[in-house]
C-alpha cells in the first residue's frame, strides 16, 4: 500500500504539532480532563485534587491529540507544492527537542 | 487485578523491546553481506516487517501502563517521595513524557515505513526508529527499576 503525499504531510504535521502542544499543555497545565485516582473519577478540564492527588497526564495527551488532529486535518488541504517542501525531519527533530526540554525541566529531580 | 495488568504490561514491553531493538539495529547498522553469524543475522532482519507489531505493541503497552498509572500514583510515588528517591521519581516523570511524545510520533513513524520505502526518507526513518528505541529502552528500564524498588501488591 502506498501513502499519498498529503497523508504523509498530515502525519508529519500531526507529530510536530502534537509534540509542541503536549509541551505547552504540560507547561501551562492545559488538561482536557482530570483524573482523580482515589475516587476513580474523571472530571472535565483542570480540577483541583479531591481526596488524593489529581492526575493531568491523560488530559495533557488528549489536549495535544485534539490540537494535532485538527492541524493534521487542515494539512490535508495543503497545496502539493507546499507539501513537497515540508522537511520530513521535523517529525523527529521536534519530538527530540521536546524530550530535551522535558529533561531540562525535570533536571531538579536529579540534582537535589 | 493491578498485579496481573502489571505483569501483562511487562510482558508486552519485553516483546516491544525485542521488536524495536531488532528494527533499530537493522536500520542503523544494516548487514552488507550474507549473514553468517548471530550478530549478522540480527542486522539482516527485514525491518519493515516489524512496523505493525511495534505500533500495536506500543499502543497496547501504553494503554495498559495508563490503566495501572493511577495505582502507581497512589501507592508507589508517595513512597518514593517519603524515601527521598528523587532520581527514581524523576526518571519516571521523564518516562511518562517520553511515552506520551512517542504516541504522537506514531503516525509519522508509520508513514515513513509504508511500502515502497522512499529513498529520500532513509535518514528520517532511521532517526525516528532510533528515537522510538530510546523511548522504549528508557521506559522499560525505569519501569523495571521502580518495580524493584516497590512492586505492586507489596
Amino acid at each position: 500500500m502506498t501513502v499519498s503525499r498529503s497523508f504523509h504531510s498530515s502525519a508529519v504535521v500531526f507529530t510536530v504539532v502534537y509534540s509542541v502542544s503536549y509541551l505547552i499543555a504540560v507547561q501551562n497545565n492545559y488538561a482536557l480532563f482530570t483524573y482523580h485516582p482515589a475516587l476513580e473519577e474523571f472530571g472535565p478540564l483542570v480540577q483541583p485534587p479531591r481526596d488524593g492527588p489529581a492526575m493531568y497526564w491523560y488530559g495533557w495527551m488528549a489536549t495535544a491529540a485534539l490540537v494535532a488532529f485538527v492541524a493534521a486535518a487542515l494539512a490535508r488541504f495543503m497545496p502539493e507544492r507546499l507539501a513537497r517542501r515540508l522537511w520530513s525531519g521535523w517529525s523527529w527533530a521536534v519530538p527530540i527537542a521536546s524530550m530535551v526540554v522535558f529533561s531540562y525541566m525535570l533536571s531538579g529531580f536529579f540534582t537535589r | 487485578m493491578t498485579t496481573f495488568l502489571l505483569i501483562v504490561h511487562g510482558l508486552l514491553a519485553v516483546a516491544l523491546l525485542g521488536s524495536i531493538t531488532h528494527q533499530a539495529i537493522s536500520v542503523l547498522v544494516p548487514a552488507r553481506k550474507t549473514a553468517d553469524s548471530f550478530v549478522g543475522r540480527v542486522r539482516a532482519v527485514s525491518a519493515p516487517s516489524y512496523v505493525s507489531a511495534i505500533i500495536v505493541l506500543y499502543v497496547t503497552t501504553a494503554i495498559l501502563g495508563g490503566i495501572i498509572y493511577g495505582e502507581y500514583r497512589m501507592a508507589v510515588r508517595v513512597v518514593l517521595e517519603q524515601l527521598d528517591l528523587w532520581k527514581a521519581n524523576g526518571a519516571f516523570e521523564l518516562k511518562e513524557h517520553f511515552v506520551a511524545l512517542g504516541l504522537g510520533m506514531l503516525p509519522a513513524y508509520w508513514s515513513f515505513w509504508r511500502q515502497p520505502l522512499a529513498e529520500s526518507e532513509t535518514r528520517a526513518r532511521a532517526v525516528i526508529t532510533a528515537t522510538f528505541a530510546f523511548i522504549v529502552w528508557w521506559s522499560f528500564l525505569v519501569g523495571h527499576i521502580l518495580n524493584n524498588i516497590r512492586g505492586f501488591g507489596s
Side-chain angles (χ1 to χ4, degrees), chain B residues 12-84:
Chain B
L12 289 174
V14 169
L16 176 61
L17 193 70
S19 307
I20 193 69
T21 304
H22 264 301
Q23 191 182 50
I25 289 173
S26 69
V27 166
L28 297 174
V29 279
R32 303 203 189 285
K33 55 178 184 172
T34 312
D36 53 1
S37 66
F38 173 76
V39 175
R41 282 191 288 276
V42 169
R43 292 169 60 184
V45 297
S46 169
S49 64
Y50 286 88
V51 175
S52 300
I54 287 170
I55 291 173
V56 170
L57 284 168
Y58 191 92
V59 172
T60 315
T61 309
I63 289 172
L64 277 179
I67 291 171
I68 58 178
Y69 189 16
E71 181 72 19
Y72 168 86
R73 186 67 185 81
M74 296 289 294
V76 181
R77 183 174 163 160
V78 177
V79 177
L80 295 180
E81 289 171 352
Q82 287 168 348
L83 295 173
D84 282 342

Side-chain angles (χ1 to χ4, degrees), chain A residues 19 23 90 92-104, chain B residues 101 131:
Chain A
S19 300
L23 187 59
W90 290 119
W92 55 263
V94 176
I96 289 175
S98 301
M99 288 166 69
V100 172
V101 172
F102 275 117
S103 301
Y104 176 74
Chain B
L101 289 169
T131 308

Side-chain angles (χ1 to χ4, degrees), chain A residues 1-3 5 7-8 11 14-15 18-19 22 26 35 37-38 53 55 57-58 60-61 88 91-92 95-96 98-99 102-103 106 109-110 112, chain B residues 66 69-70 73-74 86-87 89-91 93-94 96-98 100-101 103-105 107-108 110-112 114-116 121 124 127-128 131 134-135:
Chain A
M1 192 176 96
T2 55
V3 176
R5 189 74 217 173
F7 179 85
H8 183 71
F14 182 94
T15 294
Y18 177 94
S19 300
Y22 180 75
V26 174
Y35 178 59
M55 295 176 69
W57 182 64
Y58 311 98
W60 294 330
M61 284 194 293
S88 55
S91 60
W92 55 263
I96 289 175
S98 301
M99 288 166 69
F102 275 117
S103 301
L106 297 171
F109 279 101
F110 302 94
R112 60 167 86 187
Chain B
Y69 189 16
R73 186 67 185 81
M74 296 289 294
W86 297 108
K87 287 186 177 65
N89 217 340
E93 293 284 311
L94 280 176
E96 73 168 2
H97 294 311
F98 289 174
L101 289 169
L103 283 169
M105 286 164 62
W110 181 80
S111 182
F112 283 129
R114 294 309 293 171
Q115 301 286 355
E121 311 288 15
V127 178
I128 207 165
T131 308
F134 173 78
I135 290 172

Side-chain angles (χ1 to χ4, degrees), chain A residues 8-66:
Chain A
H8 183 71
S9 303
S10 290
V12 171
V13 167
F14 182 94
T15 294
V16 170
V17 174
Y18 177 94
S19 300
V20 175
S21 305
Y22 180 75
L23 187 59
I24 293 171
V26 174
Q27 271 278 40
N28 301 288
N29 200 10
Y30 294 147
L32 206 57
F33 56 85
T34 304
Y35 178 59
H36 304 281
L39 304 169
E40 297 185 353
E41 282 179 7
F42 287 92
L45 302 175
V46 176
Q47 298 185 348
R50 290 201 324 241
D51 288 347
M55 295 176 69
Y56 306 110
W57 182 64
Y58 311 98
W60 294 330
M61 284 194 293
T63 303
L66 184 69

